Amino acid sequence: MENKTPAIELRGITKRFGSVVANSNVDLTLYHGEILSILGENGSGKTTLMNMISGIYFPDEGQIFVNGKEVSIRSPKDAFDLKIGMIHQHFKLIDVFSAAQNIVLGVKNKGKFDLKKETAAIREICDKFGFVIDLEKKIYEMSVSEKQTVEIVKVLYKGADILILDEPTAVLTPQEIKKLFAVIRTMRDHGKAIIIITHKLNEVMEISDRVAVLRKGEHIGTVVTSETSPAELTQMMVGKKVSLNIKRSDVTDGSDRLIVENLNCVDREGVSVISDFSFTARAGEILGIAGVAGSGQRELLEGIAGLQRLESGSITYIDPKTGNHENLRNKTPIQIRNLGVRLSFVPEDRLGMGLVGSMDIIDNVMLRSYSKGHSMFLKRKAPKDLAQQIISDLEVVTPSAETPVRRLSGGNVQKVLVGREISANPKVLMVAYPVRGLDINSSYMIYNLINEQKENGAAVIFVGEDLDVLLELSDRILVMCGGRVSGVVDARTTTKEEIGLMMTSLGGAKQ
């Protein structure tokens, strides 16, 4: 980095929230013309640190230097004035406005505002860095990658030289990721300083020049990407050696457990979200489901679980004990659960949709069995033992099992949510985004638990965002596109590129 100049220097940055120390004496340097990845477990202080750079939080101790000059960043406006822009994981765009209107929104111009003139200036930025975007297109008509492009161009239009991208590839196809990385490299080559927060180690190795690792709020070290490895980075993150190979056992049963035929579902506006959908889930295997966000994954799983109204089609569950064929479309969600068909969907609003924040871990475990109680006095010993087991097995960081879940970090809330469903030893386990936002160590715990369910003979349906994980964990992969089955492929022989093409166009391989 001898030929590069520092864009940002953090010296001794400390941030506390009451008695909790989120960041402790952090030193960090970002140079112009480099891509720096930030890695760390959940609760390691990555987001807090970035929020201080972008003006959302103010440090309790330490100094921040921008281009060699000490600065005070007390608001996002201060950050923008210093040419710092952050692209958040959840976009902040107005759906009914065009791309150009969203980009210029909030920017003060001298004299009379001229949208045509500003649009021409935006096109210059797009041409300079290689963005491909229809500036007249409305946001509600755009794909996720197009919306992300608008967010990045918006930050550049405001003059940012320092960009922070939070999980930028979370919901992109391999082809879209490739395009994004090409643009990021072009921005770096034009002297931009770029920070990327991501949990995907393969992407860290591909895109970054250096990697900074945080652990428990402290800066463990910064390494040159070309001189490190995923195993070394993981060990720096968690403080112990972690195997990066997902264990995939062979399918030992393979008998049909769930047969879905010609499923159709429409949303409240009457728009079709699932069309003529058919597949079979087999005992003792993991069926991965891949698709661009919003392809109907949620509606599919909720339809099987009895939580979503279906227009037509059949869902046949084959009981492994009796061999009886049960049509789940005729049953209530509770009846479906009692048959052993479990849904563990990790929503973005974990507390709003999965757990009750004011209740402790034990009570949240008991939620599934309240309806069976015949007395106002419910037995708490078994749920308490289960809660303790979840805390122990998944290393949930909590003062006790009696702690209200709203006091836990997002990653620990998620462990409770997923652990509760997996612990029931279901016959069909449907998991959606079970490691969303979790660190490497916690993610591998969940993968191993899912594999155990497969080895116990469960039919596992796994909806994930990371194609590398889907390829390593699954036996077969069903690819969705626009609410339809684009194809089903063997996870052991397919490629990310093949799946990526199927995610964006119908008509793939059937198995």
Side-chain angles (χ1 to χ4, degrees):
M1 292 296 163
E2 55 277 353
N3 296 325
K4 298 186 184 296
T5 56
I8 289 180
E9 289 181 86
L10 306 182
R11 299 181 188 173
I13 294 295
T14 297
K15 181 65 181 176
R16 304 180 187 88
F17 296 96
S19 61
V20 177
V21 181
N23 290 118
S24 177
N25 196 34
V26 174
D27 293 337
L28 194 70
T29 303
L30 169 70
Y31 294 93
H32 285 291
E34 85 155 339
I35 300 168
L36 176 70
S37 288
I38 305 288
L39 278 180
E41 290 190 280
N42 298 107
S44 63
K46 303 186 301 295
T47 302
T48 301
L49 195 64
M50 294 304 102
N51 282 341
M52 284 187 277
I53 296 174
S54 60
I56 296 172
Y57 294 147
F58 189 77
D60 296 322
E61 299 172 17
Q63 301 166 288
I64 300 177
F65 294 82
V66 175
N67 297 320
K69 179 182 177 183
E70 186 174 357
V71 297
S72 176
I73 307 175
R74 295 183 174 273
S75 69
K77 183 183 181 301
D78 287 347
F80 268 121
D81 290 344
L82 292 166
K83 297 189 175 183
I84 301 169
M86 185 165 178
I87 295 91
H88 296 272
Q89 194 172 351
H90 305 298
F91 307 136
K92 304 176 186 301
L93 301 170
I94 298 176
D95 282 353
V96 296
F97 281 12
S98 68
Q101 290 170 327
N102 270 279
I103 290 167
V104 302
L105 195 64
V107 177
K108 292 183 179 179
N109 292 275
K110 296 179 180 179
K112 188 177 179 181
F113 178 75
D114 185 344
L115 183 58
K116 286 186 178 180
K117 183 179 178 182
E118 301 304 325
T119 300
I122 296 169
R123 284 204 176 94
E124 285 184 20
I125 293 173
C126 292
D127 293 341
K128 179 178 180 180
F129 295 110
F131 293 104
V132 179
I133 188 80
D134 181 355
L135 296 176
E136 307 302 321
K137 196 173 183 179
K138 296 287 194 288
I139 299 299
Y140 67 81
E141 299 174 318
M142 291 185 171
S143 67
V144 174
S145 64
E146 288 176 311
K147 292 176 184 177
Q148 184 180 68
T149 299
V150 174
E151 286 280 21
I152 297 173
V153 174
K154 183 169 71 172
V155 167
L156 292 171
Y157 176 76
K158 291 181 178 179
D161 286 330
I162 301 164
L163 291 86
I164 304 168
L165 287 81
D166 185 9
E167 299 282 355
T169 65
V171 290
L172 302 184
T173 66
Q175 287 79 5
E176 290 168 340
I177 292 171
K178 190 174 181 180
K179 291 178 183 176
L180 174 64
F181 282 1
V183 169
I184 290 174
R185 290 189 185 99
T186 302
M187 291 193 293
R188 174 194 61 190
D189 295 343
H190 279 84
K192 302 292 185 185
I194 302 163
I195 293 176
I196 294 180
I197 304 171
T198 178
H199 286 93
K200 301 179 181 179
L201 283 174
N202 62 310
E203 293 179 0
V204 169
M205 300 302 295
E206 181 182 347
I207 189 64
S208 60
D209 298 304
R210 293 188 304 141
V211 187
V213 180
L214 300 181
R215 185 169 77 230
K216 295 181 180 178
E218 297 182 356
H219 177 221
I220 299 303
T222 299
V223 295
V224 177
T225 309
S226 60
E227 299 173 0
T228 189
S229 67
E232 182 183 343
L233 291 173
T234 303
Q235 192 166 348
M236 289 175 69
M237 285 170 58
V238 303
K240 57 187 176 183
K241 193 171 181 65
V242 176
S243 170
L244 292 175
N245 293 317
I246 298 175
K247 179 182 66 173
R248 175 168 53 193
S249 55
D250 293 331
V251 178
T252 55
D253 188 339
S255 59
D256 293 350
R257 180 65 55 79
L258 192 73
I259 302 172
V260 175
E261 295 179 294
N262 305 318
L263 220 58
N264 289 279
C265 175
V266 298
D267 63 17
R268 293 177 181 177
E269 283 73 39
V271 177
S272 175
V273 287
I274 295 289
S275 301
D276 196 28
F277 208 96
S278 302
F279 72 93
T280 300
R282 300 165 185 160
E285 79 156 3
I286 297 175
L287 176 66
I289 295 186
V292 178
S295 293
Q297 299 96 319
R298 183 193 193 101
E299 290 80 4
L300 174 65
L301 298 198
E302 289 187 347
I304 295 171
L307 302 172
Q308 179 80 245
R309 181 177 174 273
L310 301 170
E311 294 296 304
S312 60
S314 65
I315 305 167
T316 304
Y317 168 72
I318 303 172
D319 192 310
K321 291 183 178 179
T322 65
N324 292 340
H325 288 51
E326 304 272 1
N327 187 354
L328 300 190
R329 278 202 65 202
N330 299 328
K331 301 189 181 303
T332 66
I334 291 176
Q335 289 173 326
I336 292 171
R337 285 181 56 80
N338 290 340
L339 282 171
V341 180
R342 294 256 173 167
L343 168 62
S344 179
F345 197 109
V346 179
E348 290 182 11
D349 181 9
R350 302 177 182 101
L351 292 180
M353 297 186 65
L355 302 169
V356 179
S358 60
M359 294 168 63
D360 63 28
I361 298 174
I362 298 171
D363 284 338
N364 272 285
V365 168
M366 290 176 70
L367 276 177
R368 295 303 197 193
S369 57
Y370 274 149
S371 60
K372 297 179 182 177
H374 300 289
S375 165
M376 62 183 291
F377 302 105
L378 294 171
K379 296 179 181 179
R380 289 174 62 88
K381 186 180 185 309
K384 184 175 182 178
D385 291 345
L386 178 55
Q388 292 291 359
Q389 183 184 342
I390 291 171
I391 291 169
S392 174
D393 291 350
L394 296 181
E395 298 181 10
V396 177
V397 179
T398 177
S400 74
E402 284 81 19
T403 301
V405 295
R406 60 179 163 77
R407 294 186 184 174
L408 306 182
S409 70
N412 286 304
V413 169
Q414 189 157 318
K415 291 177 185 179
V416 174
L417 181 63
V418 175
R420 182 182 66 185
E421 301 306 323
I422 291 178
S423 64
N425 294 316
K427 302 297 185 292
V428 177
L429 175 64
M430 298 183 289
V431 286
Y433 315 115
V435 299
R436 175 183 274 163
L438 291 184
D439 56 71
I440 299 296
N441 200 32
S442 301
S443 297
Y444 276 79
M445 288 180 191
I446 298 292
Y447 299 148
N448 289 333
L449 285 173
I450 290 172
N451 246 319
E452 285 177 14
Q453 295 302 309
K454 165 190 169 178
E455 291 169 0
N456 290 338
V460 180
I461 300 173
F462 178 91
V463 178
E465 296 168 321
D466 190 329
L467 289 186
D468 289 294
V469 170
L470 278 172
L471 287 168
E472 281 195 55
L473 186 67
S474 307
D475 298 294
R476 292 181 300 140
I477 298 176
L478 182 153
V479 186
M480 298 183 68
C481 177
R484 295 177 179 269
V485 177
S486 184
V488 181
V489 295
D490 186 333
R492 291 171 173 80
T493 59
T494 190
T495 63
K496 280 202 299 183
E497 288 70 27
E498 182 183 8
I499 293 174
L501 287 172
M502 293 166 66
M503 286 167 67
T504 54
S505 61
L506 291 171
K510 299 273 183 173
Q511 288 191 12

